[in-house]
Amino acid sequence: MKRFAVVLAVLILAASSLAAVDLSLVVGGQGTYGELNVGKRSTQYTFSVDAELDMDFDKGHGMLVGMLLSMQDIDLSVGYAYQTDISSSCDFILGAGVTLGLKQALGLDFFVTADFDFTVTNNMFVRVGTGFMTDLGQLGEDYGKNPNFIIPLPYIGFGWDF
């Protein structure tokens, strides 16, 4: 099942990038972290890396495709993105979509993001943003019965325009 999801994500990226007018890649989003847990009996290091590809097709309308890789799972996200210029060095991106969690069982969650991109150089920017996420659990009988609604702290990511 994980292979199918990865192949599907690659196909979506390939097909979308051929039609895309503007591409932006961001690394270091909401899901990026490193953590060292030191206990009496064990020491454990966990990490997670979040990356997102934004595609602007026409007049600010586009899509976003994201992938979160961690030691425990892989999450794939697909959604709509609207981008508008705030100034010559700042853009605002509003995104909404679904996340498919590929843990031991499948999970389907929803998200909304609000991000600001601050231009550093011609092709590089810093992204600051937050959003709203749901955690509805794994698909099955208990799906959605104990939902968690998450508003993450603002994050900083680094991105490149292509």
Side-chain angles (χ1 to χ4, degrees), residues 1-154:
M1 187 55 147
K2 288 183 182 181
R3 284 186 186 157
F4 173 74
V6 170
V7 169
L8 181 63
V10 169
L11 288 175
I12 289 171
L13 286 171
S16 300
S17 66
L18 294 175
V21 175
D22 296 320
L23 294 174
S24 299
L25 175 67
V26 180
V27 177
Q30 293 177 358
T32 301
Y33 70 90
E35 181 177 83
L36 180 63
N37 294 319
V38 180
K40 289 183 178 182
R41 295 197 170 106
S42 68
T43 299
Q44 180 182 12
Y45 180 73
T46 58
F47 70 91
S48 175
V49 177
D50 193 358
E52 180 179 304
L53 181 65
D54 296 333
M55 294 164 267
D56 184 7
F57 297 121
D58 187 32
K59 298 178 183 173
H61 299 282
M63 71 181 288
L64 58 89
V65 178
M67 180 179 284
L68 182 131
L69 301 171
S70 72
M71 297 175 73
Q72 293 83 15
D73 61 312
I74 297 173
D75 292 345
L76 301 174
S77 301
V78 177
Y80 170 77
Y82 178 75
Q83 179 175 343
T84 186
D85 295 334
I86 301 292
S87 70
S88 61
S89 61
C90 180
D91 294 334
F92 176 71
I93 300 97
L94 182 65
V98 296
T99 299
L100 181 65
L102 303 174
K103 298 179 185 177
Q104 286 76 18
L106 291 176
L108 184 64
D109 300 317
F110 304 95
F111 68 89
V112 174
T113 59
D115 302 317
F116 291 93
D117 290 349
F118 296 97
T119 303
V120 175
T121 67
N122 233 2
N123 297 340
M124 187 177 168
F125 59 90
V126 173
R127 176 169 286 180
V128 178
T130 188
F132 172 81
M133 299 180 289
T134 64
D135 182 2
L136 301 175
Q138 297 176 346
L139 294 176
E141 290 181 24
D142 293 335
Y143 179 72
K145 290 188 177 175
N146 295 313
N148 291 323
F149 301 102
I150 304 158
I151 299 174
L153 294 173

